[in-house]
Amino acid sequence: MHATFEHVIRLPITWLLATLAVYRLALTIQRRANFSPLLHPVAVSTALLVTVLILAEVDYDTYFSGARMIHLLLGPATVALAIPLFHQMKIIRRHWFRFCRGALLGSGISIALAMGLAALFGASRTTVLSISAKSVTMPIALELSEKLGGLASLTSALVMLTGVAGALMTQAVLARLRLSDPCTHGFTLGVVAHGIGTARAMQVSPRDGAFAGLGMGLAGLLTAVFLPLAFRLAGY
């Protein structure tokens, strides 16, 4: 029985099915909690999966051999956000400069603060580089991290934590400021909390989700272009 168990937990299909099952359970938990943002399905499913992996003594590479199939769908899923975004082209054409400026400032300040704090607390160069890419959506962040010399696994975890924390804090701040306009609300969620924020915005309304997708896409594009350039000019 022990040998059979060891064989099963090393199979990629095991962790693919486990990921899907745990996420489905997390969705049920959030629905029964009246969609509380504190029980975001990504945060809940991650906590459950990490617990299972620790108890089963399974390393990240073994887990990712199965989860890679889901990871490959991140790109097409991100591109599919262009469909609801197409219906908002009139507003985008009118305010395109404001959108670009907001995405550039939001991403730039986030990256600068994260890298500055990491360096201040004595983090290694590799860690600082991994942190630099954590403020964009997962597919772009992983590619950036590898090209800049960071650790993709660390960047992956940081992107997820940034998304969950950003979705929670952004909604609270926007509610406090009484900003409920779908354009402002969705775009801010997309820039600050990228994929997780966009998923949360989609739960609010398709219009919120469209502008969240715009914010996420612009932040990713501008970061991918200007972050390596900034490092090269700074000689980092």
Side-chain angles (χ1 to χ4, degrees):
M1 289 295 294
H2 179 72
T4 301
F5 175 76
E6 286 291 329
H7 174 69
V8 169
I9 65 173
R10 301 296 169 186
L11 293 174
I13 190 65
T14 299
W15 298 111
L16 172 62
L17 295 176
T19 302
L20 295 175
V22 168
Y23 187 74
R24 185 69 183 85
L25 175 62
L27 287 174
T28 302
I29 292 173
Q30 189 191 39
R31 184 169 60 251
R32 292 187 177 181
N34 198 25
F35 295 96
S36 170
L38 295 175
L39 293 174
H40 195 285
V42 173
V44 173
S45 58
T46 300
L48 292 174
L49 279 171
V50 168
T51 302
V52 171
L53 291 174
I54 292 174
L55 292 176
E57 298 182 350
V58 175
D59 57 47
Y60 176 79
D61 290 336
T62 300
Y63 165 75
F64 194 67
S65 65
R68 187 185 305 276
M69 301 176 191
I70 298 175
H71 172 72
L72 292 175
L73 297 176
L74 285 175
T78 302
V79 174
L81 291 170
I83 297 174
L85 189 59
F86 176 77
H87 298 290
Q88 307 299 328
M89 288 303 296
K90 185 177 180 179
I91 296 176
I92 294 171
R93 289 194 185 100
R94 189 186 310 158
H95 301 293
W96 68 269
F97 182 73
R98 292 183 180 180
F99 287 128
C100 290
R101 183 177 59 188
L104 183 61
L105 287 174
S107 298
I109 292 173
S110 176
I111 292 169
L113 285 175
M115 292 181 65
L117 287 173
L120 181 64
F121 286 104
S124 66
R125 184 178 186 276
T126 301
T127 301
V128 174
L129 290 172
S130 301
I131 289 174
S132 69
K134 60 89 184 170
S135 295
V136 293
T137 188
M138 190 73 77
I140 298 176
L142 294 180
E143 289 295 327
L144 267 178
S145 180
E146 291 181 357
K147 291 184 181 299
L148 294 174
L151 294 174
S153 57
L154 177 58
T155 300
S156 175
L158 291 171
V159 169
M160 185 208 65
L161 291 173
T162 300
V164 173
L168 293 175
M169 296 176 65
T170 300
Q171 287 187 286
V173 171
L174 291 176
R176 188 73 174 177
L177 295 175
R178 298 181 181 178
L179 296 174
S180 57
D181 175 65
C183 177
T184 303
H185 185 268
F187 188 78
T188 304
L189 273 172
V191 172
V192 174
H194 28 82
I196 294 177
T198 301
R200 177 58 186 158
M202 280 291 187
Q203 290 179 334
V204 177
S205 75
R207 195 177 185 189
D208 282 70
F211 286 110
L214 174 63
M216 178 179 65
L218 279 177
L221 174 63
L222 293 172
T223 300
V225 171
F226 289 110
L227 185 60
L229 179 61
F231 280 168
R232 185 174 302 175
L233 293 175
Y236 192 79

